[in-house]
Amino acid sequence: MTRYMTRVELRGSPSRQDYDKLHSAMEAKGFTRTIKGSDGHVYQLPHAEYYAESNLTTQQVQEHAASAAKLVWHDCAVIASEAPNSAWSGLDYA
């Protein structure tokens, strides 16, 4: 399985409720808003950043995320990238 980080931006003036709907739509597609560290703790990702493990290609992961976002908002930007190794600081425990 490949690890992916995906960022979704709802352009314009989305509300908190719009982002809540996005989070639900992304979760339904297999994305999470958390990541597990090598220390065993689970961390909350930054706003509208998602993590997934999948056998899909990067393009397919991006398409899944974009289809989830378009269920919620008409104008969005989506980027997905492989994240075999990640490092972070300042993230809160989930």
Side-chain angles (χ1 to χ4, degrees):
M1 290 256 232
T2 304
R3 299 174 187 158
Y4 293 98
M5 294 298 290
T6 303
R7 169 90 171 128
V8 179
E9 176 187 346
L10 303 181
R11 294 184 171 161
S13 301
S15 68
R16 168 95 177 162
Q17 291 80 13
D18 293 317
Y19 270 102
D20 288 343
K21 290 176 188 175
L22 173 64
H23 301 326
S24 294
M26 292 293 286
E27 185 176 319
K29 293 279 190 175
F31 295 88
T32 67
R33 296 178 58 211
T34 60
I35 190 167
K36 188 173 185 178
S38 58
D39 60 3
H41 288 104
V42 177
Y43 295 89
Q44 186 70 42
L45 291 171
H47 180 66
E49 186 90 20
Y50 302 91
Y51 176 79
E53 292 184 13
S54 177
N55 289 321
L56 298 174
T57 66
T58 305
Q59 182 67 37
Q60 290 169 321
V61 169
Q62 184 276 328
E63 289 168 357
H64 275 1
S67 69
K70 288 181 191 263
L71 291 172
V72 174
W73 199 254
H74 63 282
D75 187 13
C76 54
V78 180
I79 185 170
S81 57
E82 288 188 33
N85 297 300
S86 298
W88 58 83
S89 64
L91 297 183
D92 294 328
Y93 292 133

Coordinates of all heavy atoms in Angstrom, one line a residue:
M1 N 0.8 -1.2 0.0 CA 0.0 0.0 0.0 C 0.9 1.2 0.0 O 1.9 1.3 0.7 CB -0.9 0.0 1.2 CG -1.9 -1.0 1.2 SD -3.5 -0.2 0.9 CE -4.5 -0.8 2.2
T2 N 0.5 2.2 -0.7 CA 1.2 3.5 -0.8 C 0.5 4.5 0.1 O -0.7 4.5 0.2 CB 1.2 4.0 -2.3 OG1 1.8 3.0 -3.1 CG2 2.0 5.2 -2.4
R3 N 1.3 5.3 0.7 CA 0.8 6.4 1.6 C 0.6 7.7 0.7 O 1.5 8.0 0.0 CB 1.7 6.6 2.7 CG 1.9 5.4 3.6 CD 3.0 5.7 4.6 NE 3.3 4.5 5.3 CZ 4.4 4.3 6.0 NH1 5.3 5.2 6.0 NH2 4.5 3.1 6.6
Y4 N -0.5 8.4 1.0 CA -0.7 9.6 0.2 C -1.2 10.7 1.2 O -1.9 10.5 2.1 CB -1.9 9.4 -0.8 CG -1.6 8.5 -1.9 CD1 -1.9 7.1 -1.8 CD2 -0.8 8.9 -3.0 CE1 -1.6 6.3 -2.9 CE2 -0.5 8.0 -4.0 CZ -0.9 6.7 -3.9 OH -0.6 5.8 -5.0
M5 N -0.7 11.9 0.8 CA -1.2 13.2 1.5 C -1.9 13.9 0.4 O -1.4 14.0 -0.7 CB 0.0 14.0 2.0 CG 0.7 13.4 3.1 SD -0.2 13.0 4.6 CE -0.5 14.7 5.2
T6 N -3.1 14.4 0.8 CA -3.9 15.2 -0.2 C -4.4 16.4 0.5 O -4.8 16.4 1.6 CB -5.1 14.3 -0.6 OG1 -4.6 13.1 -1.1 CG2 -6.0 15.0 -1.6
R7 N -4.4 17.5 -0.3 CA -4.9 18.8 0.2 C -6.0 19.2 -0.7 O -5.9 19.1 -1.9 CB -3.7 19.8 0.1 CG -4.1 21.2 0.3 CD -4.1 21.7 1.7 NE -4.3 23.1 1.8 CZ -5.2 23.6 2.6 NH1 -5.9 22.9 3.4 NH2 -5.3 24.9 2.7
V8 N -7.1 19.7 -0.1 CA -8.3 20.2 -0.8 C -8.6 21.6 -0.4 O -8.6 21.9 0.8 CB -9.5 19.3 -0.5 CG1 -10.7 19.9 -1.3 CG2 -9.2 17.9 -0.9
E9 N -8.7 22.5 -1.3 CA -9.1 23.9 -1.0 C -10.4 24.2 -1.7 O -10.5 24.0 -2.9 CB -8.0 24.9 -1.6 CG -8.4 26.3 -1.4 CD -7.4 27.3 -2.1 OE1 -6.3 26.8 -2.5 OE2 -7.8 28.4 -2.2
L10 N -11.4 24.6 -0.9 CA -12.6 25.1 -1.5 C -12.5 26.6 -1.7 O -12.3 27.3 -0.8 CB -13.8 24.8 -0.5 CG -13.9 23.3 0.0 CD1 -15.1 23.2 0.9 CD2 -14.1 22.4 -1.2
R11 N -12.5 26.9 -3.0 CA -12.3 28.3 -3.3 C -13.5 29.2 -3.2 O -14.6 28.7 -3.3 CB -11.8 28.4 -4.8 CG -10.4 27.8 -4.9 CD -10.0 27.9 -6.3 NE -8.6 27.5 -6.4 CZ -8.0 27.2 -7.5 NH1 -8.7 27.3 -8.7 NH2 -6.7 26.8 -7.5
G12 N -13.3 30.5 -2.9 CA -14.4 31.4 -2.7 C -14.6 31.6 -1.3 O -13.7 31.9 -0.5
S13 N -15.9 31.5 -0.8 CA -16.2 31.8 0.6 C -16.9 30.6 1.2 O -18.1 30.7 1.6 CB -17.1 33.0 0.6 OG -16.4 34.1 0.1
P14 N -16.3 29.4 1.3 CA -16.9 28.3 2.0 C -17.1 28.5 3.5 O -16.3 29.2 4.1 CB -16.0 27.1 1.7 CG -14.7 27.8 1.5 CD -14.9 29.1 0.9
S15 N -18.1 28.0 4.0 CA -18.4 28.1 5.4 C -17.8 26.9 6.2 O -17.3 25.9 5.6 CB -19.9 28.1 5.7 OG -20.5 26.8 5.4
R16 N -17.8 27.0 7.5 CA -17.3 25.9 8.3 C -18.2 24.6 8.0 O -17.6 23.5 8.0 CB -17.5 26.3 9.8 CG -17.3 25.2 10.8 CD -15.9 25.1 11.3 NE -15.8 24.0 12.3 CZ -14.7 23.5 12.6 NH1 -13.6 23.9 12.1 NH2 -14.7 22.5 13.5
Q17 N -19.5 24.8 7.8 CA -20.3 23.7 7.5 C -19.9 23.0 6.1 O -20.0 21.8 6.0 CB -21.8 24.1 7.4 CG -22.4 24.5 8.8 CD -22.0 25.9 9.2 OE1 -21.5 26.7 8.5 NE2 -22.2 26.2 10.5
D18 N -19.5 23.9 5.2 CA -19.1 23.3 3.9 C -17.8 22.4 4.1 O -17.7 21.3 3.5 CB -18.7 24.4 2.9 CG -20.0 25.2 2.5 OD1 -21.0 24.6 2.2 OD2 -19.9 26.5 2.4
Y19 N -16.9 22.9 4.9 CA -15.7 22.1 5.2 C -16.1 20.8 6.0 O -15.5 19.7 5.8 CB -14.6 22.9 5.9 CG -13.7 23.5 4.9 CD1 -13.8 24.8 4.5 CD2 -12.7 22.8 4.2 CE1 -13.0 25.4 3.6 CE2 -11.9 23.3 3.3 CZ -12.0 24.7 3.0 OH -11.2 25.2 2.0
D20 N -17.1 20.9 6.9 CA -17.5 19.7 7.6 C -18.1 18.7 6.7 O -17.8 17.5 6.8 CB -18.6 20.1 8.7 CG -18.0 20.8 9.9 OD1 -16.7 20.8 10.1 OD2 -18.8 21.5 10.6
K21 N -18.8 19.2 5.6 CA -19.4 18.3 4.6 C -18.2 17.7 3.8 O -18.3 16.5 3.4 CB -20.3 19.0 3.7 CG -21.6 19.4 4.3 CD -22.5 20.2 3.4 CE -23.7 20.8 4.1 NZ -24.5 21.7 3.2
L22 N -17.2 18.5 3.5 CA -16.0 18.0 2.8 C -15.3 16.9 3.6 O -15.0 15.8 3.1 CB -15.0 19.1 2.5 CG -13.7 18.6 1.9 CD1 -13.9 18.0 0.5 CD2 -12.7 19.8 1.9
H23 N -15.2 17.1 4.9 CA -14.5 16.1 5.7 C -15.3 14.8 5.7 O -14.7 13.7 5.6 CB -14.4 16.6 7.2 CG -13.6 17.8 7.3 ND1 -12.5 18.2 6.5 CD2 -13.7 18.8 8.2 CE1 -12.0 19.3 6.9 NE2 -12.8 19.8 7.9
S24 N -16.6 14.8 5.7 CA -17.4 13.6 5.7 C -17.3 12.9 4.3 O -17.2 11.7 4.2 CB -18.9 14.0 5.9 OG -19.1 14.4 7.3
A25 N -17.3 13.7 3.2 CA -17.2 13.2 1.9 C -15.9 12.5 1.7 O -15.7 11.4 1.1 CB -17.4 14.3 0.9
M26 N -14.8 13.1 2.2 CA -13.5 12.6 2.1 C -13.3 11.3 2.9 O -12.7 10.3 2.4 CB -12.4 13.6 2.5 CG -12.3 14.8 1.6 SD -11.6 14.4 0.0 CE -9.9 14.2 0.4
E27 N -13.9 11.3 4.1 CA -13.9 10.1 4.9 C -14.6 8.9 4.2 O -14.1 7.8 4.2 CB -14.6 10.3 6.3 CG -14.5 9.2 7.2 CD -15.0 9.5 8.6 OE1 -14.8 10.6 9.1 OE2 -15.7 8.6 9.2
A28 N -15.7 9.2 3.5 CA -16.4 8.2 2.8 C -15.6 7.6 1.7 O -15.8 6.4 1.3 CB -17.7 8.8 2.2
K29 N -14.6 8.3 1.2 CA -13.7 7.9 0.1 C -12.4 7.2 0.7 O -11.5 6.9 -0.1 CB -13.3 9.0 -0.8 CG -14.4 9.6 -1.6 CD -14.7 8.8 -2.8 CE -15.7 9.5 -3.7 NZ -15.9 8.8 -5.0
G30 N -12.3 7.1 2.0 CA -11.2 6.4 2.6 C -10.1 7.3 3.1 O -9.0 6.9 3.5
F31 N -10.3 8.7 3.1 CA -9.3 9.6 3.6 C -9.5 9.9 5.1 O -10.7 9.9 5.6 CB -9.4 10.9 2.8 CG -9.0 10.8 1.4 CD1 -10.0 10.5 0.5 CD2 -7.8 11.0 0.9 CE1 -9.7 10.4 -0.9 CE2 -7.4 10.9 -0.4 CZ -8.4 10.6 -1.3
T32 N -8.4 10.1 5.8 CA -8.6 10.5 7.2 C -7.9 11.9 7.4 O -7.1 12.3 6.6 CB -7.9 9.5 8.2 OG1 -6.4 9.6 7.9 CG2 -8.4 8.1 7.9
R33 N -8.3 12.5 8.5 CA -7.7 13.8 8.9 C -6.6 13.6 10.0 O -6.2 14.6 10.6 CB -8.8 14.7 9.4 CG -9.8 15.0 8.2 CD -10.9 15.9 8.7 NE -10.4 17.2 9.2 CZ -11.0 17.8 10.2 NH1 -12.1 17.4 10.7 NH2 -10.5 19.0 10.6
T34 N -6.2 12.4 10.2 CA -5.2 12.1 11.2 C -4.0 11.3 10.5 O -4.2 10.7 9.5 CB -5.7 11.3 12.4 OG1 -6.3 10.1 11.9 CG2 -6.8 12.1 13.1
I35 N -2.9 11.3 11.3 CA -1.8 10.5 10.8 C -1.1 9.9 12.1 O -1.1 10.6 13.1 CB -0.8 11.3 10.0 CG1 0.3 10.4 9.4 CG2 -0.2 12.4 10.8 CD1 1.1 11.1 8.3
K36 N -0.7 8.7 12.0 CA 0.0 8.0 13.1 C 1.5 8.2 13.1 O 2.1 7.9 12.0 CB -0.4 6.5 13.2 CG 0.1 5.8 14.4 CD -0.4 4.4 14.5 CE 0.0 3.8 15.8 NZ -0.6 2.4 15.9
G37 N 2.1 8.7 14.1 CA 3.5 8.9 14.2 C 4.3 7.6 14.6 O 3.7 6.7 15.1
S38 N 5.6 7.6 14.4 CA 6.4 6.5 14.8 C 6.4 6.3 16.3 O 6.8 5.2 16.8 CB 7.8 6.7 14.2 OG 8.4 7.9 14.7
D39 N 6.0 7.3 17.0 CA 5.9 7.3 18.5 C 4.6 6.6 18.9 O 4.4 6.5 20.1 CB 6.0 8.7 19.1 CG 4.9 9.6 18.6 OD1 4.0 9.2 17.9 OD2 5.0 10.8 19.0
G40 N 3.8 6.2 18.0 CA 2.5 5.5 18.3 C 1.3 6.5 18.5 O 0.2 6.1 18.6
H41 N 1.6 7.8 18.6 CA 0.5 8.8 18.8 C -0.1 9.1 17.5 O 0.5 9.0 16.4 CB 1.1 10.1 19.4 CG 1.5 10.0 20.8 ND1 2.8 9.9 21.2 CD2 0.7 9.9 21.9 CE1 2.8 9.8 22.5 NE2 1.6 9.8 23.0
V42 N -1.4 9.4 17.6 CA -2.2 9.8 16.4 C -2.3 11.3 16.4 O -2.6 11.9 17.5 CB -3.6 9.2 16.4 CG1 -4.4 9.7 15.2 CG2 -3.4 7.6 16.3
Y43 N -2.0 12.0 15.3 CA -1.9 13.4 15.2 C -3.0 14.0 14.3 O -3.3 13.3 13.2 CB -0.6 13.9 14.7 CG 0.5 13.6 15.7 CD1 1.2 12.4 15.6 CD2 0.9 14.5 16.7 CE1 2.2 12.1 16.5 CE2 1.9 14.2 17.6 CZ 2.6 13.0 17.5 OH 3.6 12.7 18.4
Q44 N -3.5 15.1 14.6 CA -4.5 15.8 13.7 C -3.7 16.6 12.6 O -2.8 17.3 12.9 CB -5.3 16.8 14.6 CG -6.4 17.5 13.8 CD -7.6 16.5 13.5 OE1 -7.9 15.7 14.3 NE2 -8.1 16.6 12.3
L45 N -4.1 16.3 11.4 CA -3.5 17.0 10.3 C -4.0 18.5 10.2 O -5.1 18.8 10.7 CB -3.8 16.3 9.0 CG -3.1 15.0 8.8 CD1 -3.7 14.2 7.6 CD2 -1.6 15.1 8.7
P46 N -3.2 19.3 9.5 CA -3.7 20.7 9.3 C -5.0 20.7 8.5 O -5.4 19.8 7.9 CB -2.6 21.4 8.5 CG -1.4 20.5 8.8 CD -1.9 19.1 9.0
H47 N -5.7 21.9 8.6 CA -7.0 22.1 8.0 C -7.0 21.6 6.5 O -6.1 22.0 5.7 CB -7.4 23.5 8.1 CG -8.7 23.8 7.5 ND1 -9.9 23.4 8.0 CD2 -9.0 24.6 6.4 CE1 -10.9 23.8 7.3 NE2 -10.4 24.5 6.3
A48 N -8.0 20.8 6.1 CA -8.2 20.3 4.8 C -7.0 19.5 4.2 O -6.9 19.5 3.0 CB -8.6 21.5 3.9
E49 N -6.3 18.9 5.1 CA -5.2 18.0 4.7 C -5.6 16.6 5.0 O -6.2 16.4 6.1 CB -3.9 18.4 5.4 CG -2.7 17.6 5.0 CD -1.9 18.3 3.8 OE1 -2.1 19.5 3.6 OE2 -1.2 17.6 3.1
Y50 N -5.4 15.7 4.1 CA -5.9 14.3 4.4 C -4.8 13.3 4.1 O -3.9 13.5 3.3 CB -7.1 14.0 3.4 CG -8.2 15.0 3.6 CD1 -8.3 16.2 2.9 CD2 -9.2 14.8 4.6 CE1 -9.3 17.1 3.1 CE2 -10.3 15.7 4.7 CZ -10.3 16.9 4.0 OH -11.3 17.8 4.2
Y51 N -5.0 12.1 4.8 CA -4.1 11.0 4.6 C -4.8 9.8 4.2 O -6.0 9.6 4.6 CB -3.4 10.8 6.0 CG -2.5 9.6 6.0 CD1 -1.2 9.7 5.5 CD2 -2.9 8.3 6.5 CE1 -0.4 8.6 5.5 CE2 -2.1 7.2 6.5 CZ -0.8 7.4 6.0 OH 0.0 6.3 6.0
A52 N -4.2 9.0 3.3 CA -4.8 7.7 2.9 C -3.7 6.8 2.6 O -2.6 7.1 2.2 CB -5.7 8.0 1.7
E53 N -4.0 5.5 2.7 CA -3.2 4.4 2.3 C -4.0 3.6 1.2 O -5.1 3.3 1.5 CB -2.7 3.5 3.4 CG -1.8 4.2 4.4 CD -1.3 3.3 5.5 OE1 -1.4 2.0 5.4 OE2 -0.7 3.8 6.4
S54 N -3.4 3.4 0.1 CA -4.2 2.8 -1.0 C -3.2 2.1 -2.0 O -2.1 2.4 -2.1 CB -5.0 3.9 -1.7 OG -5.7 3.4 -2.8
N55 N -3.8 1.2 -2.8 CA -3.1 0.6 -3.9 C -3.4 1.4 -5.2 O -3.0 1.0 -6.3 CB -3.6 -0.9 -4.1 CG -3.0 -1.7 -3.0 OD1 -1.8 -1.5 -2.5 ND2 -3.8 -2.6 -2.5
L56 N -4.2 2.5 -5.1 CA -4.5 3.3 -6.3 C -3.3 4.1 -6.7 O -2.3 4.3 -5.9 CB -5.6 4.2 -6.0 CG -7.0 3.6 -5.6 CD1 -8.0 4.7 -5.2 CD2 -7.5 2.8 -6.8
T57 N -3.3 4.6 -7.9 CA -2.2 5.5 -8.4 C -2.4 6.9 -7.8 O -3.5 7.2 -7.3 CB -2.2 5.6 -9.9 OG1 -3.4 6.3 -10.3 CG2 -2.1 4.2 -10.6
T58 N -1.4 7.7 -7.8 CA -1.5 9.1 -7.4 C -2.7 9.8 -8.1 O -3.5 10.5 -7.5 CB -0.2 9.8 -7.5 OG1 0.8 9.1 -6.9 CG2 -0.3 11.2 -6.9
Q59 N -2.8 9.6 -9.4 CA -3.8 10.2 -10.2 C -5.2 9.7 -9.7 O -6.1 10.5 -9.6 CB -3.6 9.9 -11.7 CG -4.7 10.5 -12.6 CD -4.5 12.0 -12.6 OE1 -3.5 12.6 -12.6 NE2 -5.7 12.7 -12.7
Q60 N -5.3 8.5 -9.5 CA -6.6 7.9 -9.0 C -7.0 8.5 -7.6 O -8.2 8.8 -7.4 CB -6.6 6.4 -9.0 CG -6.6 5.8 -10.3 CD -6.3 4.3 -10.3 OE1 -5.5 3.8 -9.5 NE2 -7.0 3.6 -11.2
V61 N -6.0 8.6 -6.7 CA -6.3 9.2 -5.4 C -6.7 10.6 -5.6 O -7.7 11.1 -4.9 CB -5.0 9.1 -4.5 CG1 -5.2 9.9 -3.3 CG2 -4.7 7.6 -4.2
Q62 N -6.1 11.4 -6.4 CA -6.5 12.8 -6.7 C -7.9 12.8 -7.2 O -8.7 13.7 -6.8 CB -5.4 13.4 -7.6 CG -5.7 14.9 -7.9 CD -6.7 15.2 -9.0 OE1 -6.9 14.4 -9.9 NE2 -7.5 16.2 -8.8
E63 N -8.2 12.0 -8.1 CA -9.6 11.9 -8.7 C -10.6 11.6 -7.7 O -11.7 12.2 -7.7 CB -9.6 11.0 -9.9 CG -8.8 11.5 -11.1 CD -8.6 10.4 -12.2 OE1 -9.0 9.2 -12.0 OE2 -8.0 10.8 -13.2
H64 N -10.3 10.7 -6.8 CA -11.3 10.3 -5.7 C -11.5 11.5 -4.8 O -12.6 11.9 -4.4 CB -10.7 9.2 -4.9 CG -11.0 7.8 -5.4 ND1 -11.7 7.6 -6.6 CD2 -10.8 6.6 -4.9 CE1 -11.8 6.3 -6.8 NE2 -11.3 5.7 -5.8
A65 N -10.4 12.2 -4.5 CA -10.5 13.4 -3.6 C -11.3 14.5 -4.3 O -12.2 15.2 -3.7 CB -9.2 13.9 -3.2
A66 N -11.0 14.7 -5.6 CA -11.7 15.8 -6.4 C -13.2 15.4 -6.5 O -14.1 16.3 -6.4 CB -11.1 15.9 -7.8
S67 N -13.5 14.2 -6.7 CA -15.0 13.8 -6.8 C -15.7 14.0 -5.5 O -16.8 14.5 -5.4 CB -15.1 12.4 -7.3 OG -14.7 11.4 -6.3
A68 N -15.0 13.8 -4.4 CA -15.6 14.0 -3.0 C -15.8 15.5 -2.9 O -16.9 16.0 -2.4 CB -14.7 13.5 -1.9
A69 N -14.8 16.3 -3.2 CA -14.9 17.8 -3.1 C -16.0 18.4 -3.9 O -16.7 19.3 -3.5 CB -13.5 18.4 -3.4
K70 N -16.2 17.9 -5.1 CA -17.2 18.4 -6.0 C -18.6 18.1 -5.6 O -19.6 18.7 -6.0 CB -16.9 18.0 -7.4 CG -15.7 18.7 -8.0 CD -15.4 18.3 -9.4 CE -14.0 18.9 -9.8 NZ -14.0 20.1 -10.5
L71 N -18.7 17.1 -4.7 CA -20.0 16.8 -4.1 C -20.5 18.0 -3.2 O -21.6 18.2 -2.9 CB -20.0 15.5 -3.3 CG -19.9 14.2 -4.1 CD1 -19.7 13.1 -3.2 CD2 -21.1 14.0 -5.0
V72 N -19.5 18.7 -2.7 CA -19.7 19.7 -1.6 C -19.6 21.1 -2.2 O -20.3 22.0 -1.8 CB -18.6 19.5 -0.5 CG1 -18.7 20.6 0.5 CG2 -18.7 18.2 0.1
W73 N -18.7 21.3 -3.2 CA -18.3 22.7 -3.6 C -18.0 22.7 -5.1 O -17.3 21.8 -5.5 CB -17.2 23.2 -2.8 CG -17.0 24.7 -2.8 CD1 -16.1 25.4 -3.5 CD2 -17.8 25.7 -2.1 NE1 -16.2 26.7 -3.2 CE2 -17.3 26.9 -2.4 CE3 -18.9 25.6 -1.2 CZ2 -17.8 28.1 -1.8 CZ3 -19.4 26.7 -0.7 CH2 -18.9 28.0 -1.0
H74 N -18.4 23.7 -5.8 CA -18.2 23.7 -7.2 C -16.8 24.1 -7.7 O -16.4 23.7 -8.8 CB -19.3 24.7 -7.9 CG -19.1 26.1 -7.5 ND1 -19.5 26.5 -6.2 CD2 -18.5 27.1 -8.1 CE1 -19.3 27.8 -6.1 NE2 -18.6 28.2 -7.2
D75 N -16.1 24.9 -6.9 CA -14.8 25.4 -7.3 C -13.8 25.0 -6.3 O -13.8 25.5 -5.1 CB -14.8 26.9 -7.5 CG -13.5 27.5 -8.0 OD1 -12.7 26.7 -8.6 OD2 -13.4 28.7 -8.0
C76 N -13.0 24.0 -6.6 CA -12.0 23.5 -5.7 C -10.7 23.2 -6.3 O -10.6 23.0 -7.5 CB -12.5 22.3 -4.9 SG -13.1 21.0 -6.0
A77 N -9.6 23.2 -5.5 CA -8.3 22.8 -5.9 C -7.9 21.5 -5.1 O -8.1 21.5 -3.9 CB -7.3 23.9 -5.7
V78 N -7.3 20.6 -5.8 CA -7.0 19.3 -5.1 C -5.6 18.9 -5.6 O -5.3 18.9 -6.8 CB -8.0 18.2 -5.5 CG1 -7.6 16.9 -4.8 CG2 -9.4 18.6 -5.1
I79 N -4.7 18.5 -4.6 CA -3.4 18.0 -5.0 C -3.2 16.7 -4.1 O -3.5 16.7 -2.9 CB -2.3 19.0 -4.8 CG1 -0.9 18.4 -5.2 CG2 -2.2 19.5 -3.3 CD1 0.2 19.4 -5.3
A80 N -2.7 15.7 -4.7 CA -2.4 14.4 -4.0 C -0.9 14.1 -4.3 O -0.5 14.3 -5.5 CB -3.3 13.3 -4.4
S81 N -0.2 13.6 -3.3 CA 1.2 13.2 -3.6 C 1.5 12.0 -2.7 O 0.9 11.8 -1.6 CB 2.1 14.4 -3.3 OG 2.0 14.8 -2.0
E82 N 2.4 11.2 -3.2 CA 2.9 10.1 -2.4 C 3.7 10.6 -1.2 O 4.4 11.6 -1.3 CB 3.8 9.2 -3.2 CG 3.0 8.3 -4.2 CD 3.9 7.3 -4.9 OE1 4.8 6.8 -4.3 OE2 3.6 7.0 -6.1
A83 N 3.5 10.0 -0.1 CA 4.2 10.4 1.2 C 4.8 9.2 1.9 O 4.3 8.8 3.0 CB 3.2 11.1 2.1
P84 N 5.8 8.6 1.3 CA 6.4 7.4 1.9 C 7.0 7.7 3.3 O 7.0 6.8 4.1 CB 7.4 6.9 0.9 CG 7.7 8.1 0.1 CD 6.5 8.9 0.0
N85 N 7.5 8.9 3.4 CA 8.1 9.3 4.7 C 7.6 10.7 5.0 O 7.7 11.6 4.1 CB 9.6 9.3 4.6 CG 10.1 7.9 4.4 OD1 9.9 7.0 5.2 ND2 10.8 7.7 3.3
S86 N 7.1 10.9 6.2 CA 6.6 12.3 6.5 C 7.3 12.7 7.8 O 7.5 11.9 8.7 CB 5.1 12.2 6.7 OG 4.5 11.9 5.5
A87 N 7.5 14.0 8.0 CA 8.0 14.5 9.2 C 7.1 15.8 9.5 O 6.6 16.4 8.6 CB 9.4 14.9 9.1
W88 N 6.9 16.0 10.8 CA 6.0 17.2 11.1 C 6.4 17.7 12.5 O 7.1 17.0 13.3 CB 4.5 16.8 11.1 CG 4.2 15.7 12.0 CD1 3.9 15.7 13.3 CD2 4.0 14.3 11.6 NE1 3.6 14.5 13.8 CE2 3.6 13.6 12.7 CE3 4.2 13.6 10.4 CZ2 3.4 12.2 12.7 CZ3 3.9 12.2 10.4 CH2 3.6 11.6 11.5
S89 N 5.9 18.9 12.8 CA 6.0 19.5 14.1 C 4.8 20.3 14.3 O 4.2 20.8 13.4 CB 7.3 20.3 14.2 OG 7.2 21.4 13.3
G90 N 4.5 20.5 15.6 CA 3.4 21.4 16.0 C 2.0 20.8 15.8 O 1.0 21.5 16.0
L91 N 1.9 19.5 15.3 CA 0.5 19.0 15.2 C 0.0 18.6 16.6 O 0.7 18.1 17.4 CB 0.6 17.7 14.3 CG 1.0 18.0 12.8 CD1 0.9 16.7 12.1 CD2 0.2 19.0 12.2
D92 N -1.3 18.7 16.8 CA -1.9 18.3 18.0 C -2.3 16.9 18.0 O -2.5 16.3 16.9 CB -3.3 19.1 18.2 CG -3.0 20.6 18.4 OD1 -2.0 21.0 19.0 OD2 -3.9 21.4 18.0
Y93 N -2.3 16.3 19.2 CA -2.8 14.9 19.2 C -4.2 14.8 18.8 O -5.0 15.8 19.1 CB -2.6 14.3 20.7 CG -1.2 14.2 21.2 CD1 -0.9 14.6 22.4 CD2 -0.3 13.5 20.4 CE1 0.4 14.4 22.9 CE2 1.0 13.3 20.9 CZ 1.4 13.8 22.1 OH 2.6 13.6 22.6
A94 N -4.6 13.8 18.2 CA -6.0 13.6 17.7 C -6.8 13.1 18.9 O -6.4 12.5 19.8 CB -6.1 12.7 16.6

